[in-house]
């Protein structure tokens, strides 16, 4: 799902930069109106959980993997505006520190996952999330958040002049359908588990989520330290598509860091390298979300 630099044409990534960052600023102002100091820890813990979950790929087809994106999970617990801000923080950290997604393509990834992905998750939950169709609305929101974002990424590649044979495009859409269904199922399972610990925490998370937040924090640590041992090494749907149509070699990094590809490059052990990178990532995303959350909360108070 993370588009690297080298895949999008200059007009496409430049246009998305022009459209995306003002939208993020608007959403930050919207989040500010409903954010108080008591809800700030929720941003950090959920941001850490989603970051860790994105590190663990699972098989979705022959030679292809996927991972939880988390746009829907953030939307259902934080609200759409705050969810967009947290997802933007995650994507920015991934691009700047871990080289996951391009710097020039960052706006495209934010647009696909943090703006439209959040909106796609929010609409079913907003209209059907409080009645007998609640479980279906959560699943559908998770499904649409990933599938719509994936379709946008494909559209951006097509607008950039990337040629895709019909058979390859169809296969990619099929992979995205499977991955989106897993996104919906995982999102529903996580929310149900959290509500079993703290009934009603999705509706009043800041007041009733202590045990649920503890479970999410423990889950983030387990995913970052243990989950990486079982993560699939197969490429995700977008990477597989790039290999099939011959543009994988166009991917480039505009900068390098010691944590590229979620590994601490100077550590010898593969597990230790990935687990250490994961822990560093958790610390960074918690700190970033807390700083952003407190700034927004204090501006609201002022």
């Amino acid at each position: 799902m993370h588009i690297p630099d080298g895949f999008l044409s200059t007009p496409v990534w430049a246009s998305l930069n022009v459209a995306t960052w003002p939208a993020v600023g608007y959403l930050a102002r919207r989040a500010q109106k409903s954010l108080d100091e008591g809800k700030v820890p929720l941003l950090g813990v959920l941001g850490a959980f989603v970051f860790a979950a994105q590190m663990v790929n699972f098989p979705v087809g022959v030679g292809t993997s996927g991972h939880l994106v988390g746009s829907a999970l953030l939307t259902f617990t934080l609200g759409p505006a705050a969810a967009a801000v947290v997802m933007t923080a995650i994507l920015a950290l991934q691009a700047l520190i871990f080289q996951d997604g391009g710097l020039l393509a960052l706006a495209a990834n934010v647009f696909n996952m943090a703006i439209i992905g959040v909106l796609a998750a929010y609409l079913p939950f907003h209209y059907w999330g409080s009645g007998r169709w609640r479980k279906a609305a959560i699943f559908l929101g998770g499904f649409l958040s990933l599938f719509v974002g994936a379709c946008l990424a494909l559209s951006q590649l097509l607008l950039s002049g990337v040629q895709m044979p019909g058979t390859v495009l169809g296969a990619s859409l099929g992979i995205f359908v499977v991955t989106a269904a897993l996104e919906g199922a995982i999102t529903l399972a996580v929310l149900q588990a959290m509500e079993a610990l703290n009934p009603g925490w999705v509706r009043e998370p800041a007041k009733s989520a202590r045990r649920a937040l503890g479970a999410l924090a423990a889950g983030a640590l387990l995913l970052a330290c243990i989950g990486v041992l079982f993560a699939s090494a197969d490429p995700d749907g977008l990477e597989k598509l790039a290999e099939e149509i011959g543009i994988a070699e166009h991917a480039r990094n505009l900068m390098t860091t010691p944590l590229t590809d979620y590994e601490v490059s100077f550590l010898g052990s593969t597990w230790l390298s990935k687990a250490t990178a994961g822990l560093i990532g958790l610390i960074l995303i918690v700190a970033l979300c807390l700083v952003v959350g407190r700034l927004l909360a204090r501006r609201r108070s002022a």
Side-chain angles (χ1 to χ4, degrees), residues 186-199 201 211-212 215:
I186 294 170
T187 301
L188 177 59
V190 171
L191 286 178
Q192 287 184 310
M194 294 303 100
E195 289 190 323
L197 290 172
N198 287 93
W201 87 290
R211 283 194 298 168

Side-chain angles (χ1 to χ4, degrees), residues 13-279:
W13 66 253
S15 298
L16 285 166
N17 270 276
V18 171
T20 297
W21 300 121
V24 170
Y26 169 76
L27 289 167
R29 291 192 295 272
R30 293 276 299 185
Q32 180 181 324
K33 294 179 180 179
S34 60
L35 189 63
D36 56 51
E37 290 281 353
K39 200 174 182 180
V40 170
L42 188 62
L43 273 65
V45 175
L46 279 166
F49 182 84
V50 168
F51 173 86
Q54 288 193 15
M55 291 181 61
V56 183
N57 282 40
F58 45 78
V60 295
V62 179
T64 310
S65 69
H67 61 73
L68 182 77
V69 172
S71 301
L73 180 61
L74 293 174
T75 302
F76 301 152
T77 51
L78 299 176
V85 172
V86 172
M87 183 58 73
T88 298
I90 293 170
L91 293 170
L93 182 72
Q94 289 171 331
L96 290 167
I97 306 299
F98 299 94
Q99 272 37 130
D100 188 7
L103 294 178
L104 298 178
L106 177 58
N109 291 320
V110 169
F111 183 81
N112 297 344
M113 289 181 269
I115 298 177
I116 302 301
V118 164
L119 177 63
Y122 172 71
L123 290 176
F125 191 72
H126 175 70
Y127 288 109
W128 303 301
S130 59
R132 61 173 180 163
W133 299 104
R134 185 172 184 276
K135 291 182 181 179
I138 291 172
F139 174 84
L140 182 60
F143 179 94
L144 290 176
S145 69
L146 190 144
F147 188 70
V148 171
C151 289
L152 283 172
L154 291 177
S155 300
Q156 289 152 8
L157 292 174
L158 290 169
L159 287 172
S160 296
V162 175
Q163 300 298 314
M164 299 184 199
T167 54
V168 174
L169 182 59
S172 296
L173 288 172
I175 289 169
F176 289 136
V177 167
V178 174
T179 309
L182 290 170
E183 178 90 14
I186 294 170
T187 301
L188 177 59
V190 171
L191 286 178
Q192 287 184 310
M194 294 303 100
E195 289 190 323
L197 290 172
N198 287 93
W201 87 290
V202 171
R203 297 296 180 188
E204 297 278 354
K207 296 180 181 179
S208 61
R210 182 171 298 178
R211 283 194 298 168
L213 289 183
L216 283 172
L221 288 170
L222 286 173
L223 287 170
C225 296
I226 307 299
V228 292
L229 287 172
F230 305 98
S232 173
D234 291 331
D236 66 20
L238 187 60
E239 291 170 337
K240 185 69 172 179
L241 172 65
E243 292 176 1
E244 293 287 338
I245 60 180
I247 64 169
E249 63 272 14
H250 295 171
R252 66 180 190 274
N253 291 328
L254 299 183
M255 57 181 285
T256 57
T257 75
L259 299 178
T260 297
D261 295 328
Y262 300 95
E263 295 182 354
V264 179
S265 55
F266 53 82
L267 294 178
S269 165
T270 300
W271 170 76
L272 183 60
S273 174
K274 288 185 176 293
T276 303
L279 288 174

